[in-house]
Amino acid sequence: MYDEQGERRDRRAILKNGLVLAGALAVPSAVSATQRLTARDLKPMTQPPLPRSPAMPISSSRVVRPELLRQAMAALGRNGSRIPHHDRIAIADFTASSSQPRFHFVDLASGRSTSLLVSHGSGSDPAHTGYLERFSNAFGSNASSEGAFVTDDYYVGKHGRSQRLIGLDRTNNNALGRAIVVHSAWYANKDMIASHGMLGRSQGCFAVGEKDLDQVFARLGQGRMIFAAKV
């Protein structure tokens, strides 16, 4: 039976938590490949269940910086009709070094989050300093793109299990054609930091650690937003 009151409560909770998060973080003291994929490469797969590991509360700017969170929430509102689910979002903070957990998964209903490592594109960091220097939406750039993405379906391709992304802004609307996806990679594993001081670079994709992929897929699901920026 359709529970209209329950749905209204859920919507109010998400809106309230989004405003609370933005307000709390505004207080200083709280302060890929470029090759196109073909049908032969793509084998559909299903989303794994959400992990049961506890997430930490998003009550400090050490998790998501205030301006970045404000921009992400604005992007969610701006692209609302193109993003089916508004309960959870992911934010890639490309101001931070690749040695830092900068891929933030925020549950807007509960107000809690978890942060993981993520690589940026080699075209965004030609000297391999560990810091993203520039974005690009161009084919063949091997760079990360900025803006809002909506997660699409899962498949198995050249990088193994992956999830397609659709770019919603002029700065990333070539994402699907460039095969900018979410996938795992050995060069995004945590032990790369101990041995090299930073993660390796992707070809523009959001590459995460091999042990983190199931958690990332579960937290994102289909039809949710990833927001990438350098603020």
Side-chain angles (χ1 to χ4, degrees):
M1 182 176 182
Y2 176 66
D3 186 354
E4 183 177 1
Q5 291 184 342
E7 181 179 358
R8 288 177 180 174
R9 285 196 299 271
D10 290 343
R11 289 179 178 175
R12 286 197 296 269
I14 291 172
L15 178 60
K16 179 179 178 182
N17 275 294
L19 294 173
V20 169
L21 295 178
L25 294 179
V27 180
S29 59
V31 224
S32 195
T34 59
Q35 180 180 356
R36 294 174 184 268
L37 298 173
T38 67
R40 295 180 181 179
D41 299 315
L42 312 181
K43 300 176 181 178
M45 53 175 288
T46 57
Q47 176 187 346
L50 272 171
R52 294 186 178 183
S53 58
M56 56 184 167
I58 179 168
S59 58
S60 167
S61 63
R62 291 175 297 176
V63 178
V64 183
R65 292 177 300 107
E67 180 58 27
L68 182 60
L69 181 62
R70 281 193 287 268
Q71 290 191 17
M73 295 301 292
L76 184 63
R78 185 170 60 250
N79 294 288
S81 62
R82 304 172 69 187
I83 302 171
H85 304 297
H86 293 192
D87 54 343
R88 299 193 299 272
I89 63 174
I91 302 174
D93 183 356
F94 283 131
T95 300
S97 165
S98 66
S99 65
Q100 301 298 314
R102 57 181 182 172
F103 206 10
H104 309 297
F105 298 83
V106 184
D107 186 320
L108 296 177
S110 69
R112 300 178 74 84
S113 75
T114 192
S115 302
L116 301 171
L117 297 169
V118 65
S119 291
H120 53 251
S122 59
S124 292
D125 179 15
H128 201 182
T129 64
Y131 288 90
L132 181 145
E133 296 180 6
R134 57 179 177 265
F135 292 106
S136 178
N137 191 34
F139 286 90
S141 67
N142 288 342
S144 297
S145 297
E146 65 180 322
F149 303 79
V150 63
T151 56
D152 201 26
D153 61 337
Y154 301 95
Y155 67 94
V156 178
K158 65 181 295 183
H159 297 293
R161 296 183 300 147
S162 306
Q163 184 173 25
R164 292 186 186 88
L165 301 175
I166 298 172
L168 302 178
D169 297 316
R170 288 182 295 177
T171 54
N172 64 6
N173 58 9
N174 288 329
L176 193 61
R178 292 177 60 206
I180 302 302
V181 303
V182 178
H183 66 81
S184 66
W186 60 269
Y187 57 77
N189 289 338
K190 187 181 298 185
D191 57 12
M192 287 292 292
I193 298 172
S195 58
H196 294 83
M198 66 189 80
L199 298 183
R201 299 164 298 171
S202 69
Q203 292 178 296
C205 295
F206 295 87
V208 300
E210 293 168 305
K211 293 182 179 180
D212 291 334
L213 188 62
D214 278 347
Q215 180 178 179
V216 169
F217 281 174
R219 292 189 184 281
L220 284 175
Q222 293 180 242
R224 291 186 174 87
M225 183 185 75
I226 297 178
F227 183 73
K230 180 178 182 179
V231 178

